[in-house]
Amino acid sequence: MSEQAKKPVGITETVLRDAHQSLIATRMTTEQMLPIIDKMDKVGYHSVECWGGATFDACLRFLKEDPWERLRKLRDGFKNTKLQMLFRGQNILGYSHYADDVVEYFVQKSIANGIDIIRIFDALNDLRNLETSVKAAIKEGGHAQVALSYTLGDAYTLDYWKDIAKRIEDMGAHSICIKDMAGLLVPYAATELVSALKEATDLPIQIHTHYTSGVASMTYMKAVEAGADVIDTAMSPFAMGTSQPATEVMVETFRGTPYDTGIDQHLLAEIADYFRPLREEALSSGLMSTKVLGVNIKTLIYQVPGGMLSNLVSQLKEAHAEDKYDAVLEEIPRVRKDFGEPPLVTPSSQIVGTQAVLNVLMGERYKMVTKESKALLHGEYGQTVKPFNPEVQKKAIGDEQPITCRPADLIKPQLKEIEAKMSQWKQQDEDVLSYALFPQVAEEFFKYREAQQTKIDPTAADTENKVYPV
């Protein structure tokens, strides 16, 4: 094989973030991560995704850990590997939009504490909600990757994806990720999509999917053959089910081909051996449910992410209406259409799902409308790819004028006020951001930290970036 023909595919390892978020409710602790970092650092990964997503909230809320401390410890251990995080655009790692000053400061602190690549997405693919974070990541010298929330529907043609990819390139982003959170991207569609994006832009293309619908490994194979540069995988003990395809399987698949990763299987086997007891422990304690390990083909029929399905089941259980499950699944696509056909990912999946449950339980559609549904129909989350159903919008917001500008344009700077509120707890600048995102949870954590008499080591905390970004 000529050198020319070689095109090794990059591997982003998700075991320290999305894999345990998807399978064990984000409960892996920093202490469980640290002993294996040295070995993981020798693999030659494109990057290790280890922060962001739900890890920030879970650290504070459930593990009583400082997420910033986790990041610093991981950074100390990974000497040769790029660290990556998931970032929800103007929502940061929370569930509502924040002012630009909070977004900029969060990006600055993430990069200062060790993040190299920030994967930024918006639930509606409204690029206006990504501009501030992309600019901030570039300004701080980070790699700004924009993730497209992949979904199906009349509006989501190849031309739609090509056009949005061009606009992302014009924004100055360094790479594009196809973020297939529900496992909807099937193999031959991946060939078409990657080929179209490669035609439209010169940016590297990364693929992220979940095994929920059972096609993910095949999808990766076709995507790589079509020119995808990087794929997201998880070490086998935390792979498959609602997580990603297994790292070792994909490395073996491409061995001896032009896409050979060059990664050593023996080293991966040692890393897998480390994580296997953690998986067994999670299974025996009930933290990992066998329900999330199987194939759920309903995700392809109803286009509903796996996490959203389990939410629906628990909502119906509480209402003693489990017999309405199929009716709710059929209602979801109808609500989604009324709401402008958004991709179903946090927070749009929760909004559409909860509204569908209410519509079915009430016996009348939109008899009751949640405040989140109202906010979405009012334009507070941004612009959907298709217009809202005008009758449903009218029913929800009455004569109120919908917002058409970028929602964050209506939010005044928040940092100074937030810092004033929480100054008694502040041990490091980063505490202001923890409080900004999750005020009650952060305060509980700060009280716990004080009771334990744990002090943040000021030499470890980032001291170079004291000034709030202008």
Side-chain angles (χ1 to χ4, degrees):
M1 188 181 4
S2 72
E3 280 303 310
Q4 224 87 48
K6 286 191 177 177
K7 188 183 180 291
V9 64
I11 300 278
T12 288
E13 175 58 64
T14 67
V15 72
L16 301 184
R17 204 285 296 177
D18 200 8
H20 74 103
Q21 180 173 320
S22 298
L23 294 180
I24 58 166
T26 333
R27 295 297 203 277
M28 201 182 287
T29 65
T30 305
E31 291 311 309
Q32 288 173 321
M33 296 174 184
L34 295 179
I36 196 61
I37 285 177
D38 195 40
K39 269 189 185 145
M40 288 180 72
D41 196 33
K42 293 184 173 82
V43 171
Y45 289 120
H46 167 78
S47 63
V48 168
E49 192 202 41
C50 60
W51 211 61
T55 62
F56 197 93
D57 184 3
C59 272
L60 293 167
R61 190 187 300 264
F62 301 116
L63 305 176
K64 292 290 178 265
E65 285 189 21
D66 178 15
W68 299 99
E69 284 272 283
R70 171 180 292 188
L71 176 54
R72 291 193 281 266
K73 285 175 178 169
L74 293 173
R75 180 71 282 165
D76 285 347
F78 282 108
K79 308 269 190 281
N80 312 299
T81 310
K82 287 194 162 74
L83 299 186
Q84 183 168 322
M85 76 174 289
L86 182 67
F87 194 94
R88 297 189 193 117
Q90 212 66 32
N91 291 0
I92 311 180
L93 303 175
Y95 305 104
S96 55
H97 284 214
Y98 296 90
D100 286 338
D101 64 339
V102 182
V103 174
E104 286 164 3
Y105 197 43
F106 202 100
V107 170
Q108 183 196 71
K109 285 295 184 192
S110 301
I111 292 172
N113 281 285
I115 289 295
D116 299 291
I117 300 169
I118 301 192
R119 177 179 291 172
I120 305 160
F121 80 98
D122 177 66
L124 307 184
N125 288 330
D126 183 344
L127 297 187
R128 300 173 307 170
N129 293 335
L130 305 178
E131 282 165 6
T132 301
S133 22
V134 169
K135 275 184 194 146
I138 295 167
K139 181 179 164 223
E140 296 301 321
H143 177 113
Q145 179 179 84
V146 170
L148 295 170
S149 300
Y150 180 75
T151 191
L152 303 168
D154 302 343
Y156 300 96
T157 59
L158 284 178
D159 284 340
Y160 165 84
W161 296 116
K162 281 161 80 167
D163 173 61
I164 206 166
K166 282 194 199 99
R167 286 163 57 205
I168 288 166
E169 191 167 30
D170 293 343
M171 277 170 89
H174 301 111
S175 62
I176 291 174
C177 173
I178 298 164
K179 180 179 164 58
D180 176 25
M181 55 282 166
L184 300 176
L185 184 59
V186 293
Y188 288 102
T191 302
E192 287 183 348
L193 179 57
V194 173
S195 304
L197 292 181
K198 282 280 169 187
E199 209 180 284
T201 168
D202 293 328
L203 296 181
I205 306 291
Q206 182 156 359
I207 310 272
H208 172 92
T209 190
H210 291 252
Y211 220 99
T212 323
S213 59
V215 300
S217 293
M218 295 182 281
T219 295
Y220 276 173
M221 194 171 178
K222 298 309 273 181
V224 169
E225 287 171 353
D229 301 277
V230 187
I231 54 177
D232 284 16
T233 64
M235 286 307 301
S236 56
F238 284 92
M240 320 276 276
T242 49
S243 176
Q244 280 74 49
T247 305
E248 304 96 308
V249 173
M250 297 318 299
V251 165
E252 202 53 42
T253 298
F254 295 119
R255 186 176 306 292
T257 73
Y259 315 109
D260 195 328
T261 63
I263 289 174
D264 176 1
Q265 275 294 16
H266 297 291
L267 183 54
L268 291 181
E270 288 176 33
I271 296 167
D273 286 344
Y274 175 81
F275 283 108
R276 203 162 286 113
L278 299 186
R279 173 198 171 90
E280 295 311 317
E281 195 184 306
L283 274 168
S284 62
S285 69
L287 190 55
M288 187 190 284
S289 155
T290 49
K291 279 184 185 151
V292 298
L293 299 175
V295 166
N296 193 334
I297 206 67
K298 281 185 171 158
T299 57
L300 287 176
I301 299 169
Y302 298 108
Q303 299 172 33
V304 174
M308 187 175 165
L309 282 172
S310 47
N311 271 353
L312 292 180
V313 173
S314 60
Q315 285 180 355
L316 290 171
K317 232 185 199 153
E318 267 175 47
H320 306 292
E322 286 148 286
D323 58 321
K324 301 278 200 290
Y325 181 65
D326 288 330
V328 170
L329 281 180
E330 282 159 26
E331 176 65 2
I332 284 170
R334 293 195 285 262
V335 173
R336 183 177 169 236
K337 223 174 173 69
D338 290 338
F339 286 9
E341 229 171 286
L344 295 178
V345 63
T346 306
S348 55
S349 51
Q350 287 89 330
I351 297 170
V352 168
T354 305
Q355 191 57 56
V357 168
L358 279 179
N359 287 359
V360 168
L361 293 183
M362 291 287 157
E364 183 191 322
R365 304 184 76 226
Y366 305 110
K367 184 178 183 178
M368 241 180 94
V369 180
T370 67
K371 72 175 199 304
E372 290 80 12
S373 291
K374 282 179 183 163
L376 181 74
L377 293 163
H378 190 233
E380 288 169 40
Y381 289 94
Q383 194 174 7
T384 48
V385 61
K386 283 192 145 181
F388 301 129
N389 175 334
E391 286 167 32
V392 172
Q393 188 182 32
K394 176 89 174 146
K395 202 166 183 180
I397 67 168
D399 295 327
E400 275 185 68
Q401 274 304 305
I403 294 167
T404 53
C405 66
R406 181 184 75 115
D409 288 343
L410 304 173
I411 308 173
K412 292 189 182 82
Q414 295 169 315
L415 269 176
K416 291 267 165 27
E417 197 180 308
I418 291 163
E419 179 159 30
K421 270 187 195 162
M422 58 74 64
S423 55
Q424 71 181 100
W425 307 110
K426 184 178 162 186
Q427 288 190 23
Q428 57 176 347
D429 292 345
E430 288 80 356
D431 288 342
V432 178
L433 290 164
S434 302
Y435 185 87
L437 265 54
F438 303 106
Q440 285 153 314
V441 175
E443 191 168 316
E444 284 300 307
F445 170 73
F446 296 150
K447 285 176 183 164
Y448 168 84
R449 183 171 69 183
E450 203 160 86
Q452 299 291 308
Q453 297 183 320
T454 314
K455 285 275 181 280
I456 295 288
D457 174 3
T459 58
D462 167 46
T463 48
E464 288 166 43
N465 294 292
K466 287 237 161 173
V467 198
Y468 291 144
V470 179

